[in-house]
Amino acid sequence: ALTLEQIRVLLKWVHEQQGHVTRIDCALDDRAGTVPMATIRQAVADGHCVTRAAQVRQIVSNLTRGTGAATGDTMYFGSPQSQTLLRIYDKRLEMQSKERENWQDYGVRWELELKKDRAEQCARALVTLDEADWKEFVIGLLRSYVDFRQIPKDAEDEERYRAPVLEWYTLLTEGFQK
């Protein structure tokens, strides 16, 4: 894994060579287990999700033999063809099913996948930001793509964007800052 400074140097070099970035994945881990997947699913079902994504997909995987144990739990916000895709999944469950060491150290991963122009814009911003501001920037990208707010399911767009943020989402995104 590269350090943030090594990533900055690499991004600067790419731009100096007249290159461009076509994809960046920004991963934020909820290692404390602040928000379980069930909470996120329920918030989407209750209409508390404010997002630019046109669709949300959920995939739950289980073994077909033996215990039938769960091996994966993932939600996708957006389309794989779009320039922004949010993938939220139970990294702990994934690591446990693969029998990896220290699987219990993981939690739910929020992975923002940026492609094409959005990836290039993100790369250019990361080059100019101080390392301390990277997390805040990435969390801002996440919050601009998906937010969870205390709103009725049938609320008008203006009401949806002005409603208070759900407490668990505030705690989660503040925790990502640390």
Side-chain angles (χ1 to χ4, degrees), residues 37-75:
M37 293 294 296
T39 300
I40 303 162
R41 274 194 300 279
Q42 189 62 53
V44 170
D46 292 344
H48 296 285
C49 180
V50 177
T51 181
R52 290 182 291 158
Q55 65 177 345
V56 176
R57 292 178 294 125
Q58 301 175 32
I59 299 175
V60 177
S61 306
N62 298 81
L63 294 173
T64 57
R65 295 196 170 102
T67 64
T71 58
D73 190 357
T74 307
M75 294 183 74

Side-chain angles (χ1 to χ4, degrees), residues 30 32-43 73 75 88-90 92 107-110 148 168 172:
D30 177 16
T34 307
V35 183
M37 293 294 296
T39 300
I40 303 162
R41 274 194 300 279
Q42 189 62 53
D73 190 357
M75 294 183 74
I88 305 172
Y89 62 100
D90 189 331
R92 183 177 294 148
V108 173
R109 176 166 286 179
W110 295 65
F148 291 91
W168 62 260
L172 177 76

Side-chain angles (χ1 to χ4, degrees), residues 3-16:
T3 66
L4 294 180
E5 186 54 36
Q6 289 171 321
I7 293 169
R8 176 183 283 122
V9 168
L10 176 62
L11 291 174
K12 282 181 183 178
W13 180 84
V14 167
H15 292 131
E16 288 167 1

Side-chain angles (χ1 to χ4, degrees), residues 134-149:
W134 279 35
K135 287 180 189 172
E136 186 175 341
F137 175 73
V138 172
I139 292 164
L141 292 174
L142 171 66
R143 297 271 322 263
S144 71
Y145 189 66
V146 67
D147 229 354
F148 291 91
R149 296 181 173 266

